[in-house]
């Protein structure tokens, strides 16, 4: 079946059903808006399996997602979504761009999670938007922004204890949403070590894409460790 879209980490294919697509997870990794590139052997297999496990867990906890079934080690069958052109980031601890923007040290805890919206636009480097910018762009109505915020917080409440039971601190993560053929708003894309910051609870060791971004080494081992713990 023909390729609809090839992104940095995944390929999206049409299927016999016009309302469903197949998502293939690649080993390619990029950072800093595509400036840094590498292959991480086995990454696609880990991310497909971790996404399958987490989306199953989320669905069991009442979250609407695009996930239908895992077809093989790199391919998921999902509802075809018309994507909202926003990335929704949830943060429980200060890290990454929040640290860079505010100067607050990495690893500082926060009383309440923070929600941020980024414009899905590679040419602009996915800039941070406030709600007035979102309205100006017409990227989402104020009502939809409120729903995305509420849904992201619910997802955080389901995922945080899931990871903590496995000795992992969910520092921050990115979500994407879209509408299915019935007009239902669903969680799309993936949740994996590519899209989350996951720190070992006891040692603080980074078990996510920061190992690649920051040349920390043992990238494959970290992804395999997350797979092992998430599957337990
Ligand atoms: P990027 O586009 O940032 O390079 P990927 O390589 O992950 O990212 O490409 C996957 C693309 O598929 C993204 O643009 C994502 O928004 C889109 N996508 C994710 N889930 C679905 C879905 N259920 N239906 C249609 N498109 C989706
Ligand atoms: N993130 C992502 N895709 C992006 C940007 C961010 O999955 O295009 C994730 C990232 O892995 C982290 C969280 O969103 O878990 C917050 O990222 P941040 O804004 O700190 O940016 P970064 O430092 O990762 O560039």
């Amino acid at each position: 079946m023909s390729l609809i879209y090839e992104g940095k980490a995944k390929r999206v294919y049409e299927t016999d059903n016009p309302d469903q697509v197949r998502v293939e997870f690649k080993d390619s990794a990029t950072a800093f808006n595509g400036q840094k590139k590498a292959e991480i052997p086995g990454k696609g297999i880990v991310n497909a399996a971790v996404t399958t496990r987490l989306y199953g867990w989320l669905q069991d906890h009442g979250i609407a997602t695009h996930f239908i079934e895992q077809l093989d080690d790199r391919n998921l069958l999902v509802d075809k979504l018309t994507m909202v052109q926003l990335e929704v980031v949830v943060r429980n601890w200060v890290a990454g761009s929040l640290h860079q923007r505010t100067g607050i040290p990495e690893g500082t805890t926060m009383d309440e999670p923070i929600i941020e919206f980024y414009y899905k636009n590679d040419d602009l480097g996915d800039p941070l938007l406030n709600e007035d910018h979102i309205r100006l762009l017409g990227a989402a109505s104020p009502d939809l922004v409120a729903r995305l915020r509420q849904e992201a917080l619910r997802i955080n409440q389901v995922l945080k204890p899931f990871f903590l039971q496995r000795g992992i601190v969910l520092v921050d993560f990115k979500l994407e949403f879209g509408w299915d053929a019935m007009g239902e708003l669903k969680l799309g894309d993936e949740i994996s070590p590519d899209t989350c910051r996951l720190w070992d609870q006891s040692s603080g060791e980074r078990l996510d894409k920061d190992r690649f971004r920051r040349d920390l080494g043992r990238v494959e081992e970290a992804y395999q460790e997350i797979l092992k713990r998430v599957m337990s």
Side-chain angles (χ1 to χ4, degrees), residues 48-63:
V50 169
T51 296
T52 295
R53 176 78 169 110
L54 295 178
Y55 281 45
W57 185 261
L58 287 170
Q59 287 182 176
D60 288 349
H61 289 79
I63 305 289

Side-chain angles (χ1 to χ4, degrees), residues 5 7-10 12 66 78-79 81 83 120 176 189:
Y5 175 81
K8 297 184 286 291
K10 300 191 286 300
V12 181
H66 69 163
V78 302
D79 294 309
L81 301 182
M83 303 305 290
K120 259 173 72 68
E176 294 186 26
D189 210 52

Side-chain angles (χ1 to χ4, degrees), residues 8 31-33 87-91 94-101 106 116 118 120 122 125-126 128 170-176 189-190 192-198 208-210 213-214:
K8 297 184 286 291
F32 311 119
N33 204 28
E87 296 189 345
V88 184
V89 168
V90 183
R91 300 179 180 275
V94 175
S97 70
L98 179 60
H99 156 67
Q100 284 157 12
R101 193 173 297 114
E106 270 207 316
E116 295 172 346
Y118 291 84
K120 259 173 72 68
D122 281 342
D126 293 349
L128 177 68
L170 178 58
V171 173
D172 59 32
F173 57 102
K174 182 267 302 175
L175 300 170
E176 294 186 26
D189 210 52
E190 68 179 289
S192 73
D194 268 12
T195 66
C196 302
R197 283 197 172 87
L198 303 168
D208 55 59
K209 195 170 154 186
D210 269 349
R213 290 191 192 97
R214 302 182 185 183

Side-chain angles (χ1 to χ4, degrees), residues 32-164:
F32 311 119
N33 204 28
Q35 288 169 44
K36 179 170 177 170
K37 289 187 189 143
E39 292 291 303
I40 303 173
K43 176 177 82 80
I45 294 172
V46 172
N47 288 356
V50 169
T51 296
T52 295
R53 176 78 169 110
L54 295 178
Y55 281 45
W57 185 261
L58 287 170
Q59 287 182 176
D60 288 349
H61 289 79
I63 305 289
T65 89
H66 69 163
F67 179 77
I68 300 170
E69 63 171 323
Q70 181 161 19
L71 298 172
D72 60 38
D73 59 358
R74 287 182 184 273
N75 284 279
L76 308 190
L77 183 66
V78 302
D79 294 309
K80 183 176 188 173
L81 301 182
T82 303
M83 303 305 290
V84 176
Q85 291 309 302
L86 297 173
E87 296 189 345
V88 184
V89 168
V90 183
R91 300 179 180 275
N92 295 306
W93 296 72
V94 175
S97 70
L98 179 60
H99 156 67
Q100 284 157 12
R101 193 173 297 114
T102 61
I104 301 170
E106 270 207 316
T108 305
T109 187
M110 296 185 283
D111 293 341
E112 295 289 331
I114 283 184
I115 305 291
E116 295 172 346
F117 297 95
Y118 291 84
Y119 191 23
K120 259 173 72 68
N121 184 318
D122 281 342
D123 293 341
L124 298 175
D126 293 349
L128 177 68
L129 300 178
N130 70 24
E131 293 184 26
D132 287 346
H133 300 147
I134 294 172
R135 190 163 33 82
L136 177 69
L137 283 164
S141 66
D143 193 45
L144 178 58
V145 170
R147 279 182 71 188
L148 295 173
R149 176 186 293 278
Q150 192 183 34
E151 199 65 359
L153 289 171
R154 277 180 68 207
I155 291 166
N156 189 42
Q157 284 309 111
V158 174
L159 290 185
K160 250 193 332 185
F162 176 92
F163 280 111
L164 213 50

